[in-house]
Amino acid sequence: MSTRTPPASEAASAPEAASASQAASASACASTPALVPAPPSAPVRPRSAPPPGARAVVAVVMAALAGTVLLDAPPPATTRTERPPATTRAASDTGPAPAPGPAPATATRSAAGPGSPAPLGSPGSPGAPATPVLFAGKAFDTCEAPSLTVMRAWRGSPYGAVGIYFGGRGRGCPVQKELTPAWVASAHAMGWRLLPLFVGSQAPCVDSLAKRRFAIGSDPTGQGTKEGGDAVRAASALGIGTSSPLYLDIEAYRRGDTACAATTLAFVRAWNREVRRLGYLPGFYSSADTGVRDLEAQRRAGTKDLPGVMWFARWRGQPALLTESVLHPEAWTPHARIHQYAGNVTETYGGHTVAIDRNAMDAPVARVTAPARFAARVPVPLSFVGSRRP
């Protein structure tokens, strides 16, 4: 599991935390063709029509010519359309329509507000769409992607988006046996919106003992560039398309260690540059009191190559999306914040219990490009067991 250990100032105020030093888990780890106007009425045949024998010969010749034209004609063009919102039932779904989750929105403004880093579409982005797909509502993340049966059962939950750990050498659950292009297409077809998380190299002074073997090396810029490319390739292989956010997970690290913070910043900026260069939107996850605090200081200082979306962890039990104390009120706004407000909790919906972290968000989600035909047909449970809500 990708462990997250909130600083004492975070954990002490979290209702779910057993103690300030308890290690926290990052994730428990056709289109309709245009109508063609009817042709004008056929002209009336003149009275002096050819005899029946001649008409038969003409009909044969015309049919032959028509067949030649049809064989030589190119196939009709098809257009691909964006999938319907979560409230619309996909054609590939079976059984009764799932309980609707919050519907995603399409961005009409930049995903970063005044003083925030430029999002996708800024100079240097290779022609990728400048407006990412947005989602506002509740999300959960969990160490290993649940089965599609669980994902269907959880459509009755208050959550509409899910964090998936799609890559990185530091993942706590590296196998991810469920996470395939078919899973991505199927979950999206059910109405889920996806938050792709990449757990790569970590700060040299990372708090988690399990993460120290993944420490950033002596060339943080080169390493960040390489892992940014790795992230894009892994996301693309799953059917996550350009303009999607990719969230870099940097676990809590020792506060006040300037050398460690500088190494981490160099790695993060290089990762961001490469992800943005390849047409994706770099996002950032970390503890509010370490990684997020340090990046906010860099934003205030005018540092370039910072992430376009901020996902901050402060486990206080209740969402505080726009009132986080370490962030300026206009930093990473509008539509560029996620608050992980509780962790290491279990919830049950449709008879399936999962250990999760809870999040509130108004931010970009993945643009799924995997063909709908990849979506698996998932059996519908015969009945839904009473849910145990938080």
Side-chain angles (χ1 to χ4, degrees):
M1 297 172 74
S2 171
T3 58
R4 293 178 185 157
T5 308
S9 60
E10 291 181 22
S13 58
E16 291 80 9
S19 68
S21 61
Q22 180 181 6
S25 166
S27 51
C29 216
S31 58
T32 303
L35 295 177
V36 179
S41 301
V44 178
R45 189 171 57 188
R47 294 176 183 272
S48 56
R55 286 200 303 271
V57 172
V58 170
V60 171
V61 172
M62 292 301 292
L65 289 173
T68 302
V69 172
L70 289 174
L71 288 172
D72 292 340
T78 57
T79 57
R80 187 162 179 254
T81 57
E82 186 75 10
R83 288 204 61 82
T87 53
T88 304
R89 184 182 175 195
S92 59
D93 288 348
T94 59
T106 300
T108 56
R109 291 183 290 176
S110 164
S116 296
L120 189 69
S122 60
S125 295
T131 53
V133 177
L134 301 177
F135 175 85
K138 287 189 174 183
F140 76 91
D141 61 279
T142 186
C143 190
E144 186 171 354
S147 70
L148 289 173
T149 299
V150 172
M151 295 303 293
R152 176 175 290 283
W154 272 54
R155 286 303 288 150
S157 76
Y159 301 103
V162 56
I164 54 173
Y165 291 85
F166 75 97
R169 70 191 190 105
R171 283 186 298 178
C173 296
V175 177
Q176 298 288 340
K177 63 181 182 296
E178 299 285 348
L179 194 53
T180 64
W183 188 97
V184 168
S186 299
H188 189 263
M190 289 178 197
W192 289 102
R193 296 303 171 250
L194 309 179
L195 299 167
L197 281 149
F198 184 89
V199 191
S201 296
Q202 298 294 305
C205 57
V206 63
D207 288 342
S208 169
L209 293 175
K211 297 297 181 187
R212 291 184 183 172
R213 63 194 181 100
F214 304 116
I216 300 165
S218 59
D219 180 16
T221 299
Q223 197 168 353
T225 301
K226 177 187 179 300
E227 293 190 27
D230 292 343
V232 167
R233 285 187 289 274
S236 179
L238 285 173
I240 297 171
T242 55
S243 85
S244 296
L246 305 181
Y247 293 94
L248 176 63
D249 183 325
I250 296 291
E251 297 296 315
Y253 52 85
R254 187 165 60 245
R255 187 171 170 183
D257 189 328
T258 55
C260 176
T263 296
T264 305
L265 176 63
F267 173 86
V268 171
R269 292 180 65 202
W271 193 92
N272 293 342
R273 281 194 299 270
E274 186 66 3
V275 167
R276 191 174 274 121
R277 184 185 74 82
L278 295 173
Y280 288 72
L281 175 62
F284 181 77
Y285 166 90
S286 192
S287 163
D289 278 337
T290 53
V292 175
R293 183 186 294 272
D294 287 347
L295 258 64
E296 168 65 356
Q298 295 298 321
R299 185 199 64 81
R300 291 173 184 259
T303 302
K304 297 181 179 180
D305 300 321
L306 297 184
V309 192
M310 183 60 72
W311 188 341
F312 57 95
R314 190 180 292 282
W315 293 0
R316 288 183 169 165
Q318 295 297 325
L321 192 61
L322 300 177
T323 57
E324 168 52 44
S325 60
V326 305
L327 293 174
H328 186 281
E330 293 185 346
W332 284 283
T333 61
H335 315 306
R337 286 192 185 191
I338 305 174
H339 179 200
Q340 186 182 84
Y341 62 90
N344 287 343
V345 298
T346 57
E347 297 185 31
T348 302
Y349 300 99
H352 295 273
T353 301
V354 182
I356 66 167
D357 299 331
R358 300 172 182 157
N359 304 272
M361 66 176 291
D362 179 6
V365 293
R367 187 185 298 276
V368 174
T369 60
R373 67 177 181 272
F374 283 180
R377 297 179 68 85
V378 184
V380 179
L382 294 177
S383 63
F384 287 89
V385 178
S387 298
R388 175 167 54 82
R389 293 181 179 261

